[in-house]
Amino acid sequence: MNRRSLLVSMAAIGGQLVLRRSATSQKFWDTRQTSPSAAEQSAAIRTAALRFVRTLAPERYGRIIYPFPSHETPTLATFVRQGGPGGPGCPAGPHGFGEPNGSGMASGPSGPGGPARSGGPSGPGGFGFIGEKYGQSIWTNFPVSDVPRPGLRMGELTSTEQSGVHGLLKAVLSPMGYQKVLDIMAADQELADEGTPYASGYEAYTVALFGQPVASSPWMLQFGGHHLGLNVTFVGDKAVCAPLHTGILPSKFEKNGKTIRGLGRENDKAFDLLATLKPEQLNAAMIDHDVSDLVFGPGHPDAKLEPQGLRGSDMSEQQRAMLFSLAREWAGVLNEAHFAQRLNEIQQSLPDMRFAWSGPTTHEPDMNGESYFRVHGPSLLIEHAPQANQGGYKLHVHTVMRDLGNDYAKRMI
């Protein structure tokens, strides 16, 4: 079995395990009867991280473990594709990943392999691409060939090392979160199988650790590819999964006789909430916004945006419960022991939360809609923005979640 086939098989097996666990233990998950404590989960995560690191040859440590950026500030970084479609982001810097080009290029919605909206061509044979730089970490919604990430790609790892990565992800994420990751990767593999002018598929996903996985000092896991950007920071027995990028293309496809609809629940829950709004509530929720525009996307850590939309205090109890369930699709990506406190904070802030909408108010059943929506609370910002290119709004979506004031666990360090 070749390496790509192995990766596909591992993802499929992992997905089946998660689905079985979710189906057979939903009562356990909801009632939290035997859930591990945050301290126990943190210890399990550190053990999984060390187990993975120990599978690596010593000479590869420098491409997996980087210093933790405890005194750094997240900033916009721009990159240039050189050598035509699919070429490297720019000349490799330390640890083998691209360095920002320093152009200060403006950013905006973009498609895979295409220029940033306000950037345009930035040199012969090149386009401008953006990411968010935090120390030596890079968070972006561009393919890895346009904005290379630090770390090792899954395609560079042995089967034992790949198993170590999946073991770490399962410990860090909830069953729902891990399944979401598998669905995103499977969709990306669909593109790779069709042929793309940029790096895609299972093998392109990249893993890196920042700091040592110990209880005495902060450390961070970064894992992602084109439509996934996980940043999970650990401080003692606490964890923050933000900023987070999830996306999907294609949003619906057939694989092994089954229909996979990645990120479908987010779409459906938002439309379900919208359908309950009375005319005056709908009027309050509607905003004038480019449906493809992520205001708080990678590279914009300090974006300013006045809260818009319908207040949670102007919703019924049932509607606030639906808003909470929608927010949980992002906040609940993290494992239960670590997201419990965060979900409680979100629930307490529901009256002050805003739900904003731009675009059509109806959609085809079992298909993504063509609308932008935003959940904006005192400490939570979620954006869902369909993209017009490569299949159109129904098949291509980008989303982000930020923990306002606490991305990368800044308040805890």
Side-chain angles (χ1 to χ4, degrees):
M1 180 181 291
N2 62 34
R3 181 168 291 172
R4 201 194 84 182
S5 297
L6 178 63
L7 283 164
V8 173
S9 298
M10 287 177 61
I13 292 170
Q16 292 169 6
L17 290 174
V18 169
L19 287 173
R20 283 201 293 269
R21 178 180 173 187
S22 298
T24 59
S25 61
Q26 188 63 45
K27 184 176 180 180
F28 154 75
W29 179 251
D30 291 339
T31 58
R32 304 179 183 176
Q33 292 176 346
T34 58
S35 301
S37 67
E40 291 169 334
Q41 191 70 40
S42 296
I45 290 170
R46 291 191 294 268
T47 297
L50 289 171
R51 184 179 296 120
F52 162 59
V53 170
R54 287 169 184 155
T55 66
L56 299 168
E59 63 269 16
R60 286 154 69 85
Y61 288 176
R63 293 188 59 200
I64 281 288
I65 301 179
Y66 300 78
F68 183 79
S70 55
H71 302 295
E72 301 283 347
T73 300
T75 58
L76 170 68
T78 61
F79 297 77
V80 177
R81 175 191 289 178
Q82 296 182 350
C90 52
H95 305 290
F97 64 97
E99 294 296 327
N101 68 14
S103 67
M105 184 177 301
S107 65
S110 56
R117 181 179 64 180
S118 302
S122 58
F127 291 102
F129 305 93
I130 67 166
E132 184 166 305
K133 192 172 188 295
Y134 179 51
Q136 294 184 54
S137 73
I138 296 290
W139 179 58
T140 183
N141 59 346
F142 280 95
V144 298
S145 47
D146 299 327
V147 181
R149 285 71 159 165
L152 288 171
R153 294 189 185 185
M154 293 293 279
E156 299 178 82
L157 303 181
T158 66
S159 59
T160 300
E161 293 164 347
Q162 292 163 11
S163 295
V165 174
H166 280 276
L168 178 55
L169 291 173
K170 289 177 184 178
V172 169
L173 305 176
S174 67
M176 177 271 284
Y178 182 61
Q179 185 63 54
K180 198 183 298 282
V181 167
L182 295 180
D183 289 345
I184 291 170
M185 294 175 74
D188 204 35
Q189 186 61 45
E190 288 291 299
L191 298 182
D193 292 342
E194 294 171 2
T196 56
Y198 53 87
S200 58
Y202 293 115
E203 294 188 352
Y205 282 75
T206 308
V207 59
L209 302 179
F210 299 83
Q212 298 291 332
V214 296
S216 57
S217 59
W219 64 283
M220 181 172 74
L221 164 68
Q222 189 170 76
F223 179 81
H226 179 198
H227 281 122
L228 177 68
L230 282 173
N231 299 285
V232 187
T233 307
F234 301 90
V235 183
D237 291 332
K238 296 183 178 180
V240 173
C241 182
L244 170 68
H245 163 56
T246 59
I248 200 79
L249 175 67
S251 64
K252 185 176 182 179
F253 59 95
E254 299 291 325
K255 193 171 187 69
N256 298 327
K258 295 183 179 180
T259 299
I260 297 178
R261 187 168 168 240
L263 306 192
R265 286 195 310 273
E266 293 87 329
N267 174 89
D268 293 348
K269 287 183 177 183
F271 274 99
D272 288 346
L273 172 56
L274 194 76
T276 70
L277 300 186
K278 297 178 180 179
E280 62 272 17
Q281 291 177 310
L282 180 60
N283 185 61
M286 298 299 293
I287 62 173
D288 183 14
H289 186 86
D290 179 347
V291 297
S292 293
D293 187 11
L294 288 175
V295 180
F296 282 81
H300 298 277
D302 299 314
K304 304 299 180 184
L305 186 66
E306 287 296 320
Q308 295 176 287
L310 177 65
R311 287 180 179 272
S313 58
D314 294 326
M315 295 182 181
S316 68
E317 184 176 348
Q318 177 190 8
Q319 289 169 335
R320 283 194 294 272
M322 295 176 75
L323 180 61
F324 176 72
S325 180
L326 176 61
R328 184 170 177 154
E329 285 296 323
W330 283 266
V333 164
L334 192 59
N335 70 82
E336 180 189 9
H338 284 131
F339 80 49
Q341 182 177 353
R342 178 64 173 152
L343 284 183
N344 183 62
E345 293 172 354
I346 293 171
Q347 192 166 38
Q348 295 299 316
S349 68
L350 284 174
D352 298 318
M353 204 167 285
R354 301 282 193 118
F355 177 62
W357 190 276
S358 179
T361 57
T362 60
H363 73 113
E364 180 184 350
D366 296 321
M367 281 295 295
N368 277 4
E370 300 179 309
S371 304
Y372 168 97
F373 62 84
R374 180 192 309 151
V375 177
H376 193 171
S379 64
L380 176 71
L381 192 290
I382 294 169
E383 292 182 278
H384 176 284
Q387 306 295 299
N389 61 337
Q390 280 202 302
Y393 298 119
K394 294 181 180 180
L395 287 181
H396 190 183
V397 66
H398 288 183
T399 87
V400 296
M401 179 185 72
R402 287 192 181 268
D403 187 340
L404 300 175
N406 198 36
D407 278 352
Y408 308 102
K410 288 186 294 184
R411 280 203 309 263
M412 299 158 53
I413 298 171

